[in-house]
Amino acid sequence: MTSYYPISVDIGNKPVLVVGGGPVACRKVTTLLEYGAQIKVVSPEICEELQALVDQGYCSWAAKSYTIEDIQEEVLVFSCTDMEQVNEQVARDARANFRPVNVVDDPGKCSFFVPAVLRRGDLTIAVSTGGSSPLVARQIRIDLEKIYGPEMKEYLELLRFWRPKIKSALVPAKRIAFWAKVTNGEVLTLIKNGRLPRAKEVIETCFQSLLD
Ligand SMILES: C[C@@]1(CC(=O)O)c2cc3[nH]c(cc4nc(cc5[nH]c(cc(n2)[C@H]1CCC(=O)O)[C@@](C)(CC(=O)O)[C@@H]5CCC(=O)O)C(CC(=O)O)=C4CCC(=O)O)c(CCC(=O)O)c3CC(=O)O
Ligand SMILES: NC(=O)C1=CN([C@@H]2O[C@H](COP(=O)(O)OP(=O)(O)OC[C@H]3O[C@@H](n4cnc5c(N)ncnc54)[C@H](O)[C@@H]3O)[C@@H](O)[C@H]2O)C=CC1
């Protein structure tokens, strides 16, 4: 069994091809749009939700059956049709063109999978079962949503703000002490309870106590 290497890829303003226009294609397109991809959908017909995205100019649509010429400079290719032969053809063409390809009806034909994703500001948690059970990936994502709530966004924004400051103001041993203190749960709990100003105070006090 192949194991897949997880990475985070920048697809902002990059061309992505989606073959097929049903609900599954639409789910992939919706996620891809969140990351700023330039999407071309190729499909004789598309569902209402995708039509709305096309009408609003979020992606383009070529109303035709897939042919090899549809693969141009795309950084990712998704084959989302209900036709096994078409999906197989897209997979073969994409691989021949060295394009990473995702085939929705057959994990064995994918060179990459789409994980179930939880985002909280700068935090991204991606869950993959390597094709064994997308439903379990989804359930784990839902479980994680309960553990990592919206407070993670403000929490990470705060830590991001302090990072360069700590790097330049404290020696390594004190940096470790600083990060241990501000990530020990107290600051996060304060933010969770709507007490952001107090959380900021705790961090400031910790910083002051470590200055020479
Ligand atoms: C291999 C993979 C390829 C790929 O698409 O990348 C793939 C393949 C297949 N999915 C199928 C079915 C379903 N997929 C979902 C949902 C998701 N599927 C996603 C990913 C992946 N699906 C990749 C593996 C990821 C991994 O294993 O970790 C998620 C995580 C991401 C996303 O698509 O955005 C998203 C959840 C997002 C979220 O909620 O967070 C649901 C549930 C639902 O729709 O509610 C069902 C119905 C229930 C069921 O059947 O389990 C079928 C059978 C089709 C049939 O029987 O006709 C195949 C084909 C096969 O397995 O043969
Ligand atoms: N990977 C995943 O997450 C999941 C995958 N699936 C699989 O995904 C497949 C697609 O699911 P749905 O979107 O519900 O199917 P659907 O039947 O609603 O849509 C299929 C789309 O493919 C298009 N199409 C057909 N022939 C084409 C061609 N030659 N060129 C370009 N486009 C073509 C159709 O016009 C239609 O828009 C299903 O067959 C199922 O096996 C189902 C659920 C989840």
Side-chain angles (χ1 to χ4, degrees), residues 18-29 40-54 59-62 64 78-83 87 104:
V18 175
V19 181
V24 172
C26 190
R27 187 171 75 234
K28 305 291 186 204
V29 167
K40 178 175 76 178
V41 175
V42 174
S43 180
E45 287 170 25
I46 56 174
C47 66
E48 242 174 69
E49 211 180 317
L50 255 181
Q51 182 70 58
L53 293 174
V54 171
C59 61
S60 70
W61 172 34
K64 63 184 278 290
F78 291 81
S79 193
C80 311
T81 83
D82 54 338
M83 311 290 287
N87 288 342
V104 290

Side-chain angles (χ1 to χ4, degrees), residues 91-120:
R92 216 175 310 130
D93 295 346
R95 282 174 187 271
N97 283 280
F98 303 102
R99 309 273 163 230
V101 64
N102 178 268
V103 185
V104 290
D105 70 341
D106 186 352
K109 295 200 188 84
C110 295
S111 59
F112 70 93
F113 299 133
V114 180
V117 174
L118 164 62
R119 287 177 84 188
R120 301 283 190 225

